[in-house]
Amino acid sequence: MGVTKESFGFLEDKREAFLYTIENQNGFAVKVTDFGVNIVSLLVKNKEGNIKDVALGYDTLEEYFENGIMFGATVGRNVNRISNARFEIDGKEYHVAKNRGKHNIHSDKEHGFHKVLWDSEIIDDHAVKFTYVSPDGEQGFPGTLVTNIIYTVTETNGLIVSYHAVSDKKTLINLTNHNYFNLGGDESGTIENTKVRIYADEFTPINEDTIPTGEIRKVEHTPMDFREWKKIKNDLYAEDEQLEKGKGYDHNFVIRNKDCGFRKMAEALDEEQGIKMEVYSDLPGLQFYTGNTMKSTKGKGGVIYGKGCGFCMEPHYFPNSINTKEFDAPVFDAGEVYQTVTMYQFVTKED
């Protein structure tokens, strides 16, 4: 119970990385490393009282040096897509990495926030604070950006992730965590039987390059309708042009009541384990991704993660919002504070 800190290995420049375990009195815990503020494990008790690790990840620091699939990754400075890998702020054009064809995804998958060593500080027996200063021009973004992220574990089995960032120039800021969840346990295989509910009446359709078109479309009468509990597999293989373009679910959902601030966005349930996860945030959108393009990857304990072995639920500003006039763009003035909170609340349900 509390916070423990252990060595997680060394970077090529000989700096040491650490693994923090934040645990409550119930045995619920998160393991997170100061290298990239990557979630390594999420330990939750199932209905029989056994601990399940519901986060996909790796055993060693060296494996996170690659991590092309971005297990547990803190994504910055901007999550999701930027069309044509360019954007404008006040008439000035900026260019970022073309890492998805001619487009950009997750800023920089080789040199992003998930691949730098953050400063870290245990701030009490429930929380760890991580800090990174991104210099002006890093990844192509304007301004020196100071980012703080606090991971807090509650006594009611919640993981709170608090983001705070300030730049000295007007810039784009859109942060999230790219954890892959499997509520059956990271060794349990497909997530197709996981039940999901998303508090959204609308979603943002994508084009052939998986870039939102700017349209906001009703989920009604589409496979995107998760307004009531539904197993992922129910519509996953339906004949639908959106599922074909995303190779499954890889879509942004317009979460209800965006002006209400912090609210429930979505929830997921593994009935066999009795583990339910609720996702809360104050952000406008949620990306739901079902691991459609995952290649077979050796994970923790030698487990092989394949296609569809994990799902992501990422609160954020809408994809490509910087280039889409119909969407609210996360552009912040010099000195203006970017601040947002996400909570993953875990509940063990009996039959």
Side-chain angles (χ1 to χ4, degrees):
M1 189 170 66
V3 180
T4 59
K5 176 183 178 181
E6 60 187 299
S7 179
F8 197 45
F10 291 86
L11 279 65
E12 291 182 356
D13 61 9
K14 308 304 181 186
R15 287 181 297 164
E16 188 171 13
F18 292 93
L19 184 68
Y20 291 88
T21 301
I22 314 171
E23 183 177 6
N24 70 12
Q25 60 187 358
N26 308 317
F28 172 78
V30 61
K31 293 179 180 286
V32 58
T33 173
D34 55 2
F35 179 73
V37 196
N38 292 297
I39 292 175
V40 175
S41 292
L42 259 173
L43 305 177
V44 185
K45 284 185 179 178
N46 67 5
K47 62 187 179 184
E48 297 175 349
N50 299 317
I51 293 289
K52 304 296 290 186
D53 188 347
V54 300
L56 275 57
Y58 301 110
D59 287 321
T60 68
L61 174 66
E62 288 76 16
E63 290 168 299
Y64 284 96
F65 294 163
E66 295 296 327
N67 196 16
I69 202 157
M70 302 184 76
F71 288 141
T74 291
V75 186
R77 298 186 185 189
N78 180 74
V79 64
N80 222 309
R81 279 73 169 170
I82 297 177
S83 63
N84 299 306
R86 46 101 33 223
F87 61 93
E88 291 184 8
I89 295 178
D90 292 341
K92 184 174 180 180
E93 187 169 86
Y94 298 91
H95 295 269
V96 289
K98 292 182 179 180
N99 57 11
R100 192 180 178 94
K102 64 181 181 180
H103 307 293
N104 174 270
I105 186 168
H106 302 323
S107 298
D108 192 331
K109 295 182 76 171
E110 299 304 319
H111 308 284
F113 279 15
H114 65 303
K115 291 192 175 179
V116 296
L117 190 65
W118 295 55
D119 292 332
S120 54
E121 175 189 2
I122 298 172
I123 55 177
D124 62 29
D125 59 0
H126 295 94
V128 178
K129 178 181 177 181
F130 302 92
T131 302
Y132 177 63
V133 179
S134 175
D136 183 19
E138 186 173 58
Q139 305 173 359
F141 295 94
T144 297
L145 184 73
V146 180
T147 302
N148 295 298
I149 302 177
I150 298 175
Y151 275 67
T152 304
V153 165
T154 73
E155 288 302 333
T156 54
N157 300 345
L159 171 62
I160 300 172
V161 185
S162 304
Y163 301 85
H164 181 284
V166 180
S167 172
D168 62 359
K169 291 182 181 178
K170 194 172 185 178
T171 195
L172 171 61
I173 313 172
N174 190 14
L175 308 174
T176 199
N177 184 276
H178 198 273
N179 192 62
Y180 287 76
F181 298 96
N182 188 325
L183 301 184
D186 78 310
E187 80 293 348
S188 65
T190 178
I191 45 86
E192 289 187 3
N193 284 314
T194 302
K195 282 187 167 180
V196 168
R197 180 159 62 179
I198 301 175
Y199 291 80
D201 302 312
E202 299 164 316
F203 75 104
T204 54
I206 56 176
N207 63 21
E208 291 76 8
D209 291 336
T210 69
I211 307 288
T213 63
E215 177 190 355
I216 293 177
R217 185 182 298 176
K218 296 289 186 183
V219 300
E220 189 174 11
H221 304 310
T222 79
M224 304 296 157
D225 192 349
F226 285 94
R227 292 175 296 173
E228 302 295 336
W229 283 108
K230 179 173 71 174
K231 286 186 177 181
I232 289 173
K233 70 178 181 182
N234 283 15
D235 291 327
L236 183 60
Y237 302 107
E239 290 187 10
D240 179 83
E241 52 95 15
Q242 284 296 303
L243 291 175
E244 290 171 6
K245 289 172 180 175
K247 298 184 170 127
Y249 293 106
D250 191 4
H251 293 78
N252 169 64
F253 287 78
V254 181
I255 304 302
R256 298 174 196 145
N257 304 318
K258 72 170 185 174
D259 296 325
C260 292
F262 191 75
R263 68 225 186 273
K264 186 186 285 188
M265 287 190 152
E267 47 196 337
L269 170 67
D270 184 285
E271 292 180 304
E272 185 175 341
Q273 299 297 329
I275 295 174
K276 184 174 83 163
M277 179 182 74
E278 302 168 346
V279 182
Y280 297 79
S281 180
D282 48 11
L283 289 166
L286 179 86
Q287 189 82 7
F288 178 51
Y289 173 56
T290 48
N292 322 315
T293 58
M294 288 175 62
K295 305 288 195 299
S296 290
T297 302
K298 183 180 177 182
K300 289 174 288 190
V303 173
I304 302 300
Y305 306 137
K307 178 181 177 181
C309 284
F311 67 90
C312 301
M313 287 183 168
E314 304 162 81
H316 63 169
Y317 286 90
F318 296 175
N320 198 37
S321 51
I322 187 66
N323 291 320
T324 311
K325 65 180 186 300
E326 294 87 355
F327 300 163
D328 292 335
V331 174
F332 292 80
D333 287 325
E336 184 180 3
V337 174
Y338 168 95
Q339 188 162 313
T340 181
V341 176
T342 293
M343 180 171 74
Y344 305 98
Q345 177 66 49
F346 291 87
V347 179
T348 301
K349 295 177 65 68
E350 301 294 337
D351 288 333

